[in-house]
Amino acid sequence: MRKFLLLTPVVVLLCSSSVLQAQNYPIPTEQQQRGIDTDNARHFGDSPADGGPMATDLSPAMNPAAIDKATRKVADWQLERAQPYFDRIWTWSVLYSGFMATSESTGDPKYRDAMKAMSEKFNWELRSKLPNADDQSVGQTYLELYLQAGKGADAKMITPLREGMDSVIGLSTLNPRDQRIPWWWCDALFMAPPAWARMYAATGDHKYIDYLNAQWQRTYDLLYNQQEHLYARDASYKTKVDAAGKIMFWSRGEGWVMGGLVRTLEYLPKDDPQRAFYVTQLREMSARLASLQGSDGLWHSNLMDAEHFPLPEMSGSALMVYGMAWGVNEGLLDAKVYKPVIEKAWRGMLQHIYADGRLGCIQQTGAEPTPYLPTASYNYGVGGYLLAASEVKRMVSPHPKMKKKK
């Protein structure tokens, strides 16, 4: 495993600032740097001043071999360095979804095997009682492993998750001291609904779909901007403006919703009355996001303000590509319109892979656009990239999707 020099937060801040200043990029405030230091200390990833040389062995060719090579390079680097720190918090669960997709796409079981070992390590349990969307998110991997096991599946693989879901299903809020709806922030639409849809697939109990539909509608009514066809990160951002005086739309927030839409549609019953509701959102958001694509094929952290946030942001970009590519593959989006968008974005993403497999330009955790180093790499962003890669490959060479239980 590659060894990294451990720097104190003060030294990291100085190094980061000098790198950003040299490239005329925004510099994190001291408070923002403390957040970066916290993410790094929790092993979500890191942001060294120097990430080494960029990869020169990857091709943007839209063929299975080239896509597999770019997928494995990042997946292998991430798995080796991250596996000792696996946890059940949302940042990890997004990566787990990416590993599951990578096994399916490449045909290599090692990524899925690592996910099974992780699940067994945690006894298929969640990290909290009355779990919120973030803590439900690891259940997506538990359920996919259960569904793939078929008739031989052990109920223990989903029992703790099912008990956790059942414990919140009748609650209008999850905390008596916090009256916000359960999915009050747009990130939650990636974390929770796909797990609820998969639980329906695993059990056949329609109450999980009913809950999903009702809660998503509440979030949509609260956060969806009907003019921009984008989601506010939460209610406090519905009118918050950026330095350019425009309403702030965060690329990763929109990516979370795009990913959540397609991962929900994947398991939502084909005859569900609400299906058209989700398809319409996918089409509206895809059209708006395509119109905001940068010349490098990617999207900025602040979608409306590239001047103050000039670096592309990989986690948001990857999840948008994932959603669009899935939509094309399922015939929900016009291939003639969106394939060029997806191919341009894929070429752009490859420009931010380092020689060792590091995927850069991933903003640290947060709720809005903030500065980050070009080297910054965090597990959830890699998860988004791996999900995107699996659908990009399917777009050029369809691979069979996992058989779903009815």
Side-chain angles (χ1 to χ4, degrees):
M1 182 182 295
R2 181 175 177 177
K3 298 184 183 299
F4 294 92
L5 179 64
L6 295 177
L7 303 178
T8 66
V10 173
V11 174
V12 170
L13 177 58
L14 293 173
C15 291
S16 301
S17 297
S18 63
V19 171
L20 292 172
Q21 284 177 329
Q23 300 182 66
N24 197 30
Y25 294 140
I27 299 171
T29 64
E30 289 188 15
Q31 181 179 0
Q32 290 168 345
Q33 185 62 46
R34 285 195 292 271
I36 294 171
D37 296 337
T38 298
D39 283 359
N40 296 354
R42 298 179 76 180
H43 304 289
F44 296 167
D46 62 8
S47 50
D50 181 6
M54 305 304 296
T56 59
D57 59 341
L58 301 178
S59 167
M62 299 301 289
N63 64 64
I67 294 168
D68 270 354
K69 186 173 183 179
T71 301
R72 287 176 176 274
K73 188 177 188 72
V74 174
D76 289 347
W77 177 83
Q78 185 69 53
L79 182 62
E80 179 185 9
R81 74 197 309 265
Q83 197 164 13
Y85 308 110
F86 280 174
D87 201 347
R88 290 166 290 179
I89 195 170
W90 67 268
T91 68
W92 289 105
S93 64
V94 181
L95 177 63
Y96 301 157
S97 293
F99 280 142
M100 291 295 290
T102 299
S103 259
E104 185 177 344
S105 177
T106 64
D108 190 334
K110 73 177 178 182
Y111 310 106
R112 183 180 62 248
D113 291 346
M115 296 302 90
K116 186 175 181 183
M118 174 278 299
S119 303
E120 291 173 343
K121 172 185 174 182
F122 295 118
N123 297 313
W124 308 91
E125 295 173 347
L126 305 183
R127 66 191 296 266
S128 67
K129 302 295 183 183
L130 291 179
N132 67 7
D134 285 345
D135 289 352
Q136 293 166 21
S137 59
V138 71
Q140 296 182 41
T141 296
Y142 296 165
L143 283 158
E144 288 181 5
L145 289 166
Y146 177 83
L147 289 165
Q148 288 183 13
K151 292 182 178 180
D154 190 332
K156 74 176 184 182
M157 300 166 72
I158 63 169
T159 295
L161 172 64
R162 190 173 189 179
E163 291 173 349
M165 286 181 163
D166 288 348
S167 72
V168 304
I169 205 166
L171 304 178
S172 60
T173 182
L174 302 185
N175 186 335
R177 296 183 298 276
D178 183 350
Q179 293 304 307
R180 291 177 296 186
I181 61 176
W183 302 344
W184 56 265
W185 71 116
C186 73
D187 316 28
L189 297 180
F190 181 95
M191 306 303 164
W196 289 81
R198 283 159 174 74
M199 183 60 79
Y200 163 75
T203 65
D205 193 331
H206 207 275
K207 71 180 181 182
Y208 299 110
I209 295 296
D210 294 339
Y211 180 88
L212 186 169
N213 287 337
Q215 297 305 324
W216 192 306
Q217 184 70 57
R218 296 175 77 187
T219 304
Y220 172 88
D221 291 342
L222 179 67
L223 301 180
Y224 192 63
N225 186 307
Q226 297 288 351
Q227 287 70 48
E228 293 290 351
H229 291 160
L230 298 171
Y231 274 78
R233 192 272 174 179
D234 59 57
S236 69
Y237 286 88
K238 292 172 73 172
T239 57
K240 187 171 184 178
V241 297
D242 58 25
K246 298 179 181 179
I247 295 179
M248 184 183 294
F249 289 104
W250 184 36
S251 65
R252 186 155 75 227
E254 309 310 323
W256 288 135
V257 180
M258 288 286 285
L261 280 166
V262 301
R263 289 178 68 76
T264 298
L265 282 165
E266 188 176 9
Y267 284 84
L268 193 75
K270 297 293 185 183
D271 60 352
D272 190 276
Q274 285 289 93
R275 191 172 185 86
F277 167 76
Y278 301 110
V279 172
T280 296
Q281 284 181 70
L282 177 63
R283 289 172 174 163
E284 289 181 351
M285 293 186 69
S286 295
R288 184 67 178 108
L289 292 168
S291 75
L292 296 170
Q293 186 176 32
S295 59
D296 61 354
L298 302 175
W299 289 264
H300 297 269
S301 183
N302 187 334
L303 286 172
M304 305 299 189
D305 187 5
E307 178 183 354
H308 293 91
F309 291 90
L311 275 174
E313 204 288 310
M314 196 61 58
S315 62
S317 295
L319 288 163
M320 293 173 201
V321 171
Y322 171 53
M324 291 182 195
W326 189 92
V328 168
N329 291 336
E330 296 297 317
L332 300 178
L333 297 178
D334 187 338
K336 291 182 180 179
V337 173
Y338 289 100
K339 273 191 174 183
V341 175
I342 294 163
E343 291 171 0
K344 185 177 181 180
W346 181 248
R347 290 194 298 272
M349 286 193 284
L350 298 189
Q351 298 304 307
H352 296 276
I353 299 175
Y354 288 76
D356 61 359
R358 168 186 294 272
L359 179 68
C361 273
I362 300 172
Q363 184 190 328
Q364 62 275 7
T365 62
E368 64 179 49
T370 55
Y372 47 90
L373 281 174
T375 60
S377 187
Y378 294 99
N379 49 15
Y380 47 86
V382 173
Y385 167 85
L386 296 177
L387 287 168
S390 72
E391 288 299 323
V392 170
K393 182 182 177 183
R394 190 162 73 102
M395 191 175 74
V396 302
S397 179
H399 58 273
K401 299 297 287 183
M402 177 177 65
K403 185 177 181 181
K404 304 171 183 57
K405 280 190 175 182
K406 301 297 183 182

